[in-house]
Amino acid sequence: MKRPGLTWTVVITAWLSTIVWLLALSATARAATGASWEYAPAQAPPPPAGVAPSPFPTNVGTVGDIEFWAPDEGLLITGGTNFVPAGLYAYDGVSWHQLSTVCGSAEGRIAFASQDEWWTISDQRPGLALAVSGGSYLYDAVSLCHFVNGQVVGSYALPVDQTDSYPQMDAAACAGPDDCWFAGGFSGTTGGAFHLYWNGQALTEVDNTDEAHAVASMAVDGSQIYEGVTIAPTDVYSPSENPNAPALIHSIVTDDQADPFHDVLLADNACSGFCPTLPEYGTTSSGAAVTPDELSGFQLSSDGGESGDPATPAQVWALATPATESSPAHPLVLRYTNSDDSWNQIVGAPDLSWPAGQAPAAIAAVPGQNAAWVTLQDDGSNTAEVEQLSSGDGGTSWSVGSEQHLGPDQGVGDLGAAGPITCPAANDCWLATSQGWLFHYTDGTQLSQSSDPVFNGGIGVITYRPPDDGVPNVPGLSQPVDDSLANQAPPVQLAPVPGRRRKARPGPVATDEKVELIRGTDTIDVAFKLSATARVQLVASRRVAVRAAKAGKRRTPRKSATRLVVVARSRVQILRKGKHSIRLTLDPKRWPTSLKLNAARLESAPKKTAKARFR
Amino acid sequence: MSARRYERRLRETFSPGAAVTLYDAQIVLGDRWRAAERALDQLVLQGELVRLAPRLWVRLGADPDPYKVGARITFPYAFACATALALHGRGEPPDAEIVIASPEQFATFAHAGVVYRHAGFWVPDDVIQIRARTSPKLAAWFASSAAGLARSHVAVSGQREHVWVTDLPRTLRDCLAEPASAGQDERVAAFDLGLA
């Protein structure tokens, strides 16, 4: 008897085998092809209230820097677009999303001090600039923000366009929470380096007294901070410097407070015999030697320190490009490895260079590999172009990989020239184009979402930047509170002097008196107001002439002797505080010449027995 | 960027029948809302878009997916009553009406034979997110509905489109409270008994 269930089992088993085989084949193919660049744009900022989220990604504007603490915890700083506000974006292993709408900059830098603590070189808040001589560049990358646990805990800036203003800063690095450096250079004829140092408690400006060359970039190798400097034609050399071979890279030794900027001798320790220090600048097409000031400052990239794992063999890459388009210099790439404590010149040697028309722009060391990614700039190109420098024999010989065009290769078109690039791990790199679109070099490994709320969006969007000294404090239009006596000594308390004290005299108890004659009668009405309970009587008097007999008794007789005679009086009343009136009927034949309202204040309210007399 | 480039980019991004919010257009253009709204209104004048709600447009040329339109009118939202019943696979969709519960009210409007109506059944704890294509009955209805909707609408819904919908107990309570939104009373009663 046929068993249909068995037939179905065979069919299902065959299908499952086929699926498993196809999956295995797919994985094999993936491993064979290795990692590749993928289009990985950022999420749009959160929608406003009442608006549905959008499935569309966005470009984040010009990105100043991309830095990673771990492959699933990264940050980028952007100058924003008309739609995306300037600020920071965070990567949590799954996607890039908005982290901060403050402290952004298209020229900004990020320096991790620890997992949840970092610094940014940011644009200054637009404020009052006296006699602005230029454009908005006055505000670009001239202030600092200090982020701790998802908050901006410090903002540092000075008013722009002043003699003591911060210049634009191009480099930032931290060897720990209490050892961060920020640097740049003064523009114009003065030139020179500018450094700010954070010791964990305060930010101070540090001068490089020996060498005054602008700082182009910084990198951390384990706990050691390196800085690359730019040699400008207008720079002033100290007596100890050799203008033909100035130190292009410094190490910062924080403990050496007298001179923390130490020259790094770029020596190839593997070289035997007479070996000049690096770099070899080469010669121009006419055979003349290239001078140091015809190169830009060294862009540094390290694969050690950013991940916080000092056990990783560190390598530091340094890239210098021609200072100007007309410069006869060639691009130079140096590489330092701490395993043999030696520098090597990778590019610039006669056998390895880029073709004419191509200029490297940025470099990113690949952790754990003898490799680095280099971004290229083609004149007028709107495509991000990258190449990989790698060595298959442990660093003895080097080759340049095939040029890749990010955007067209992914089928999304030209999305801007290459911008910042960084590699948090092997086969894991990120690149931002000039328009702010992101590309991810990955081997397909799916990272789990970071559990840190600072990176996975758990803390929301940071919108507050504390005040700093960058915006002058202008008093408001309203009068300030008069605190001129706030700091004076308290008044001296004099001891009371014994003696008779004059008792304060109370004012009149009856006021606002008004007298009216009631029409058609001989009665007057006197209205008044009492300020307290009082005994009141209205007295009407008439002035009359005295008799002569009495007048003659005086030694000095008056010219006209008169006296007041009471012609009418009201009864005595006790009245409460308030308005009252008293009427008094008069005799027309003895009409008074004066009225007097006698009101005597009562110290205490009368007793109940007198209540009946109250009106 | 010029206005013509903005219009061209919107045309390239949104295919006929697509629901476009002002926020979508802002993202695509990377510009402020005034510029995005100006470009959208220009396409309305050219007869390529129609404005359905203050912040919602639809590209003409094809009938839109009603769930995509309903999901983009406001936020937060949840399909409710008969619309939710159909998404739960518990009933036949009503005749071309999409009922949407949300804290923000909107005026009822109709497009392509479908009426979009606000219902005040908003209880944020009683909404869930499901895929719009979970109901085979719904797909069959859209394929054969007298509303004139083509099968392609359901196919568009199935492109990993998730929508918010009131959960089943809340849906039944809402339908009992307002039977007119649930279609036939007998069906609601039957579901109520079935659950009990």
Side-chain angles (χ1 to χ4, degrees):
Chain A
M1 184 177 178
K2 191 176 180 182
R3 297 172 57 192
L6 182 62
T7 306
W8 280 109
T9 303
V10 171
V11 171
I12 291 171
T13 305
W15 271 107
L16 286 175
S17 303
T18 306
I19 291 171
V20 170
W21 181 78
L22 287 173
L23 288 174
L25 186 65
S26 172
T28 306
R30 177 110 198 164
T33 56
S36 61
W37 285 96
E38 295 179 354
Y39 174 59
Q43 291 181 357
V51 176
S54 176
F56 296 100
T58 188
N59 59 323
V60 296
T62 306
V63 176
D65 192 14
I66 309 174
E67 295 291 339
F68 277 79
W69 176 259
D72 60 348
E73 292 175 353
L75 297 171
L76 68 79
I77 184 170
T78 173
T81 66
N82 283 343
F83 175 62
V84 176
L88 269 65
Y89 264 66
Y91 180 70
D92 59 3
V94 178
S95 64
W96 288 92
H97 55 86
Q98 190 178 45
L99 175 64
S100 165
T101 57
V102 294
C103 300
S105 175
E107 306 286 336
R109 298 289 185 270
I110 300 169
F112 272 103
S114 66
Q115 183 179 13
D116 289 337
E117 179 178 356
W118 66 85
W119 288 77
T120 61
I121 296 175
S122 305
D123 290 347
Q124 186 150 323
R125 273 181 283 235
L128 293 179
L130 303 177
V132 175
S133 55
S136 62
Y137 66 88
L138 284 172
Y139 299 95
D140 293 347
V142 292
S143 68
L144 300 177
C145 286
H146 186 191
F147 289 77
V148 178
N149 294 327
Q151 287 185 323
V152 185
V153 298
S155 178
Y156 302 88
L158 290 179
V160 298
D161 208 25
Q162 306 294 303
T163 53
D164 58 348
S165 299
Y166 291 158
Q168 181 170 334
M169 291 174 273
D170 300 312
C174 289
D178 56 354
D179 187 11
C180 293
W181 289 83
F182 315 94
F186 293 102
S187 59
T189 55
T190 56
F194 171 80
H195 288 91
L196 288 173
Y197 170 57
W198 170 258
N199 62 2
Q201 296 180 342
L203 193 71
T204 54
E205 189 173 340
V206 180
D207 291 331
N208 187 347
T209 53
D210 285 345
E211 299 172 8
H213 308 297
V215 179
S217 75
M218 287 182 175
V220 185
D221 175 21
S223 60
Q224 178 61 61
I225 298 176
Y226 291 99
E227 67 175 20
V229 300
T230 301
I231 307 296
T234 56
D235 280 0
V236 177
Y237 294 88
S238 67
S240 61
E241 279 188 285
N242 178 3
N244 295 322
L248 301 177
I249 296 176
H250 299 153
S251 61
I252 298 180
V253 182
T254 305
D255 295 337
D256 185 358
Q257 296 183 0
D259 181 17
F261 310 104
H262 293 193
D263 294 347
V264 173
L265 184 64
L266 304 177
D268 183 358
N269 291 341
C271 175
S272 58
F274 175 74
C275 300
T277 56
L278 300 175
E280 293 181 32
Y281 291 101
T283 57
T284 66
S285 56
S286 60
V290 173
T291 58
D293 58 13
E294 290 171 327
L295 282 168
S296 67
F298 268 111
Q299 299 289 330
L300 303 181
S301 175
S302 166
D303 67 354
E306 287 183 345
S307 65
D309 181 9
T312 303
Q315 54 181 336
V316 179
W317 289 79
L319 166 68
T321 58
T324 61
E325 290 186 0
S326 59
S327 171
H330 311 288
L332 302 180
V333 175
L334 305 180
R335 178 176 180 258
Y336 167 80
T337 52
N338 62 358
S339 56
D340 54 1
D341 190 22
S342 177
W343 287 86
N344 293 295
Q345 184 156 335
I346 308 300
V347 175
D351 57 341
L352 184 60
S353 186
W354 277 280
Q358 279 190 340
I363 193 166
V366 178
Q369 295 181 355
N370 294 317
W373 280 98
V374 177
T375 64
L376 303 175
Q377 281 185 336
D378 265 349
D379 296 338
S381 173
N382 196 31
T383 304
E385 300 173 7
V386 293
E387 288 179 345
Q388 191 179 44
L389 275 172
S390 60
S391 173
D393 53 7
T396 304
S397 61
W398 293 85
S399 62
V400 179
S402 61
E403 184 178 321
Q404 300 188 36
H405 300 82
L406 306 187
D409 290 353
Q410 286 72 27
V412 292
D414 294 334
L415 297 178
I421 185 172
T422 189
C423 297
N427 295 330
D428 185 9
C429 299
W430 287 91
L431 177 141
T433 69
S434 56
Q435 297 177 8
W437 298 101
L438 299 174
F439 289 88
H440 187 196
Y441 184 73
T442 175
D443 57 4
T445 303
Q446 294 294 325
L447 299 176
S448 58
Q449 189 178 34
S450 170
S451 59
D452 190 337
V454 174
F455 291 94
N456 65 20
I459 62 166
V461 178
I462 303 168
T463 58
Y464 175 70
R465 179 179 183 177
D468 52 42
D469 297 332
V471 179
N473 187 14
V474 179
L477 293 176
S478 60
Q479 289 291 335
V481 177
D482 183 8
D483 60 350
S484 57
L485 302 179
N487 296 324
Q488 75 169 4
V492 178
Q493 298 291 334
L494 298 176
V497 178
R500 195 181 70 174
R501 296 189 64 185
R502 195 170 185 175
K503 199 171 183 178
R505 176 180 290 180
V509 66
T511 55
D512 297 342
E513 297 98 337
K514 290 180 182 177
V515 181
E516 287 184 0
L517 177 64
I518 299 175
R519 184 173 294 181
T521 67
D522 296 326
T523 304
I524 59 172
D525 183 274
V526 179
F528 54 93
K529 182 179 179 182
L530 291 179
S531 60
T533 303
R535 181 179 288 109
V536 182
Q537 185 184 32
L538 179 64
V539 178
S541 303
R542 177 183 174 86
R543 184 167 295 281
V544 297
V546 295
R547 285 181 292 187
K550 281 191 174 180
K553 291 181 180 176
R554 287 181 177 272
R555 293 178 182 174
T556 308
R558 299 174 184 172
K559 290 182 179 176
S560 58
T562 59
R563 69 183 179 95
L564 280 175
V565 177
V566 174
V567 295
R569 60 164 57 93
S570 68
R571 62 186 177 92
V572 177
Q573 304 175 71
I574 297 175
L575 302 177
R576 294 181 187 276
K577 175 183 176 182
K579 292 181 178 179
H580 301 276
S581 66
I582 296 177
R583 291 187 177 185
L584 192 63
T585 302
L586 301 173
D587 181 1
K589 296 180 180 177
R590 301 174 65 206
W591 198 256
T593 56
S594 70
L595 287 173
K596 185 176 182 182
L597 184 67
N598 294 322
R601 185 191 306 268
L602 295 179
E603 294 298 328
S604 59
K607 293 181 179 179
K608 196 173 183 180
T609 53
K611 188 176 179 181
R613 302 175 63 190
F614 274 36
R615 278 180 63 190
Chain B
M1 187 178 287
S2 67
R4 289 183 184 277
R5 291 184 66 185
Y6 273 7
E7 294 161 18
R8 186 169 66 245
R9 179 174 289 186
L10 290 176
R11 276 190 214 101
E12 292 170 353
T13 306
F14 299 104
S15 57
V20 187
T21 65
L22 184 60
Y23 178 61
D24 292 334
Q26 271 188 269
I27 297 173
V28 170
L29 300 178
D31 208 334
R32 300 182 177 90
W33 69 268
R34 287 184 189 279
E37 188 176 39
R38 200 178 303 125
L40 289 166
D41 286 343
Q42 195 61 34
L43 289 177
V44 170
L45 291 175
Q46 295 171 13
E48 298 191 45
L49 290 180
V50 60
R51 192 170 191 164
L52 302 182
R55 294 180 298 229
L56 181 66
W57 289 256
V58 165
R59 178 90 187 267
L60 295 174
D63 289 337
D65 177 354
Y67 287 103
K68 282 196 170 182
V69 173
R72 307 191 80 69
I73 298 171
T74 184
F75 193 86
Y77 75 94
F79 293 117
C81 276
T83 310
L85 274 178
L87 285 169
H88 285 298
R90 301 293 182 127
E92 299 296 327
D95 292 339
E97 183 183 55
I98 299 292
V99 182
I100 299 161
S102 66
E104 183 180 345
Q105 198 165 2
F106 61 88
T108 301
F109 63 89
H111 178 69
V114 180
V115 175
Y116 300 87
R117 186 169 67 83
H118 176 262
F121 307 131
W122 179 251
V123 181
D125 294 338
D126 292 349
V127 299
I128 57 174
Q129 199 173 28
I130 64 171
R131 286 184 59 175
R133 207 177 54 171
T134 50
S135 168
K137 289 184 180 177
L138 190 71
W141 177 79
F142 274 119
S144 60
S145 170
L149 302 178
R151 185 182 294 273
S152 61
H153 299 120
V154 183
V156 173
S157 287
Q159 292 176 356
R160 305 180 67 82
E161 180 79 9
H162 290 72
V163 294
W164 289 96
V165 59
T166 55
D167 62 15
L168 193 53
R170 164 59 58 179
T171 302
L172 291 173
R173 282 198 293 273
D174 292 342
C175 292
L176 288 171
E178 189 179 330
S181 298
Q184 301 170 2
D185 299 352
E186 298 80 9
R187 189 177 64 221
V188 177
F191 279 121
D192 191 39
L193 291 173
L195 275 186

